[in-house]
Amino acid sequence: MLEQARHVFLGSLRMQLRDPLTLLAMVGLPVLLQPVALYAAGELRTRDARQGREATVVIEAPAELEELLLPRDRVEVVERGWQDPEHPEVQARVVLPQGDAPAEVHYDSTHSASGRAHRRALRVLRRQRRADMEQRFEDAGLAGRHDEVLPVDFEDVASTQEREGGLLGRLLPLMLVFLAMNGGVSTSLQLVTGERERKTLETLLTARVDRRAVLLGKFMVVVLVALITAAMAVTTLWACLAAGLYSAPGDAIAIPTAAMPLLLLLLLPLAVLMSAVFTVVAAYVPDFRTGQFAAVALLFLGLAAAGVAAFPAIQPSYALALAPVTNLALVMREALVGNYPVGILGLTLAATAVHVALALALGARLLAREEVLYGGGRAADRRARGGFVPDVLGIFLVALLLLWFLGQRVQGVDLLWGMVFTQVVLVAGVAVGALVWLGQPVRETLALRRPHSVDLGLAVAAGLGAPGLSALVAAAQEPLLPSSSAFLQTLEQSMTLDASLPVVVLVFALLPALCEELLFRGALLGLLRRSVGPVLACLVVGALFGAVHLHLIRVLPTGILGVVLCAAALRSRSLWVPVTIHALHNGFLVLASSLGWFGDPPLWVLLLMAAVTVGAVALVGRGSRSASAG
Amino acid sequence: MIEVRGLTKRFHSPRVVTAVDDVSFRCEAGAIFGLLGPNGAGKTTTLRMLATLLAPDEGTATLSGCEVRQDPTGVRGSIGYVSTTTGLYGRLTAREMITYFARLQGVTEPRRRSDELVERFGIGPFAHVRCDRLSTGMRQKVSIARAVVHDPPILILDEPTSGLDVMVARSFLEFVEQARDEGRCVLFSTHIMSEAERLCDRVAILHQGRILADDTLPALREASGHRYLEDIFVHFVQTARDEDA
């Protein structure tokens, strides 16, 4: 079989190396794009530093303060009475009157250079204030610093090189993961999905070749392309830094020498894992177009997993060494700052080997299935009824952009009416509008049918327990994603309005429950269910529901709640069941916020509430089915 | 050489469709066996089962002594498969395509074998041209060379002249006759009556997944009372419809 796989590998590699797109992803992006990006980043930083030096602050100060201010901070001291704020090179102006009149700082908050000058002016004022205080203490016969209870001096012991290395360490894994994935994704799609569409896969499988050898040979090509892409990225990065292309202010930047081979070593399992996943996806998707959308979704997932390494607070651990992609990104980050955790590195490599084996085993099983070979069977049937995966992603993207750019602004102007506009127009409107645009039956797709009374009762139980489920997930993710108190305060404030409680409940609990369910469990789930199986549809719509909440710490709790709501919708075949659960969940949170109930309930209470929700949703649909069977 | 007994294939999409229903026939070496039927009759599904691309739900099929489910690799080693689509890799040259499949099929001297076929099928003038730049006729020649690169005793041809112009189709039919004369067993599916009439030693009429008749052309003429194959075909299909009604 290995000999056959070698022939498939060599033949497929020859074809891929003649593909301009593959060459662009493999060589063009890392070699051309990366130096440009690094040079641009270095230039920006240098210009930023230069601009910082040249910030001009004009001080109108009494003559006796001139000596205090002049030697420091690169500020210009002018005579009192200077009246030319429109002077182009002046970025801020400080007026220091004599006597007890307050000091004035004039600056333009919309201009970054002026903002920098403003901060510099504040430093000047702070120093002047301290000098005044010291003078007064001295006049009173109290020598020393008495203006602060605990004087603090800060000193960053990290060198510029270390600081820049740390920055690169946080960003580089993201870039490497992206490039490795980008190199593998188009190759896998062309070698598997593309071949199936061009019917060359059929020709290949009539030859005396084991199907596992076909998969292995193609998989090896994807690995090689991904690996070359990632290696090119590392080498180009190293060459750029060595050539001084990235000219940061201060010392020159260099990656530790030992990190280079380790980076390459870590890129191998990364490339293998990504290639295995992409090959499996390419084998499973019904056509090339769906494959491209699946690839984009996978790229985002991979970047999200690697993005964990960008948080300095998240340190490598044995638990995280089991998380695919995240584990490799974390070890890469540590290597770039000269830290090599051997035990975690070993577990990371072992876990990745298991992930790869699982992905390949799944791929081998998939390739043996007839519908994968011909895009036939259930996959073709779903496609015939409408390949709605791209449409679902498109609708979600439109809603997300509208919420981000329009919804938040409107709510900033008027929270109450902004919320009504956001939910009715940007959420429910997009859902219904998209179905009309696609020519889909609105009522049927949204499952707007009367629920069975038993299901409605179960929905009430599930809704009452749902806040416990969300809180439980939030508590579980606390070690990884600590919920900042500032965020929680913002959340509470956003729900505290100068309006009566019924209005608040209506606008923040019932309206979002209805509108968001119309979009997520109605349009998105209804369309996606025609293209993929129920489990995948629930997971995808749940993930989208989590992502739309626009804050990292809310993604997982709302995502899991979204999956539960999807399950309730599919099992009951009525949108009113998830609407009920969602409304009760939101209602509980709004009441808790309004009445000041926010606290820390015991773990057993959360567990009990979560169990009630999951149990109730698991029972949804049974009553209606047994009734219809009877 | 090919022995098919009770072959059945069902698709679940979403209602169960029986694409091939209890099909049995036998095809000898040095003969051309024609599967004749309209689009959707089950010809391609039958041939795909024989080429081990699809697994039958019921029945057996033995090719050169290898059963499709028990020894699929052995089956693939004894067949040359040509379908409607030529299935060529656009980024390989004609010669590379043939050599690639020679290696996959385990030919001992793939380059020498490739040279032989390039000469035999007149591929030389365009042997170094990428397949995506070849004309339809050139592509068909490369496709045939690819199918016979391992010198298989059986040829399975699934509507191979579909979409070809008259000259290319004629040239292809000559190749099929030549293959029979070399002693190969040729299984040939078509919905073009004139081709079947010209080529086939034996014809099976396939309709809605079932074989309605399987015999030599003279015997079919006698049984139906018609001279031309098109009339014979219509006779058997009409009789089956009447019986179903």
Side-chain angles (χ1 to χ4, degrees), chain A residues 18 195 205 207-208 370, chain B residues 9 55 76 89 91 96 105:
Chain A
R18 290 175 184 172
E195 276 212 31
L205 293 179
R208 192 163 50 191
E370 289 165 1
Chain B
K9 181 69 184 176
R76 290 198 286 270
Y89 288 106
R91 291 196 204 99
E96 285 170 346
Q105 296 283 17

Side-chain angles (χ1 to χ4, degrees), chain B:
Chain B
M1 189 60 82
I2 299 178
E3 181 148 11
V4 176
R5 286 186 184 278
L7 213 57
T8 300
K9 181 69 184 176
R10 299 183 194 92
F11 291 117
H12 304 261
S13 57
R15 62 192 178 82
V16 178
V17 176
T18 305
V20 175
D21 188 3
D22 194 23
V23 163
S24 301
F25 59 86
R26 187 180 168 84
C27 181
E28 299 295 342
I32 301 174
F33 186 93
L35 267 183
L36 194 64
N39 292 331
K43 303 186 297 292
T44 297
T45 304
T46 304
L47 298 191
R48 281 177 175 170
M49 282 192 281
L50 298 184
T52 74
L53 292 168
L54 294 176
D57 291 319
E58 290 168 26
T60 60
T62 308
L63 294 90
S64 290
C66 304
E67 210 282 322
V68 288
R69 272 183 294 200
Q70 289 165 6
D71 185 10
T73 312
V75 170
R76 290 198 286 270
S78 64
I79 62 167
Y81 183 84
V82 180
S83 65
T84 317
T85 54
T86 49
L88 301 181
Y89 288 106
R91 291 196 204 99
L92 293 185
T93 66
R95 188 187 296 277
E96 285 170 346
M97 181 78 199
I98 300 166
T99 312
Y100 179 42
F101 272 81
R103 290 202 172 97
L104 291 175
Q105 296 283 17
V107 173
T108 47
E109 292 181 74
R111 283 183 186 279
R112 197 178 61 78
R113 177 63 176 159
S114 171
D115 290 342
E116 276 175 23
L117 292 171
V118 164
E119 192 180 334
R120 178 181 165 190
F121 289 102
I123 293 171
F126 54 89
H128 296 287
V129 179
R130 278 168 49 154
C131 290
D132 55 4
R133 293 170 191 162
L134 298 178
S135 69
T136 311
M138 292 170 179
R139 289 171 66 86
Q140 191 65 303
K141 283 184 179 178
V142 179
S143 186
I144 294 167
R146 189 270 307 157
V148 300
V149 72
H150 53 305
D151 198 17
I154 298 172
L155 283 179
I156 297 178
L157 311 174
D158 185 13
E159 303 197 10
T161 55
S162 213
L164 298 184
D165 65 42
V166 177
M167 296 307 290
V168 179
R170 188 182 176 84
S171 160
F172 186 87
L173 296 181
E174 284 168 3
F175 157 74
V176 175
E177 286 170 329
Q178 196 180 347
R180 173 184 54 193
D181 297 342
E182 289 168 356
R184 297 182 207 276
C185 168
V186 182
L187 182 56
F188 184 90
S189 89
T190 184
H191 62 270
I192 304 170
M193 303 296 165
S194 59
E195 283 183 359
E197 212 155 13
R198 169 183 164 178
L199 286 176
C200 298
D201 301 298
R202 198 175 174 91
V203 172
I205 294 174
L206 198 62
H207 182 65
Q208 293 184 338
R210 287 183 296 147
I211 287 192
L212 304 180
D214 167 15
D215 217 324
T216 61
L217 202 51
L220 290 175
R221 283 184 180 128
E222 194 178 330
S224 65
H226 295 282
R227 174 175 171 72
Y228 297 107
L229 189 54
E230 190 171 323
D231 297 328
I232 297 170
F233 177 80
V234 171
H235 168 82
F236 281 107
V237 169
Q238 197 58 53
T239 307
R241 280 182 183 160
D242 292 345
E243 285 173 2
D244 289 343

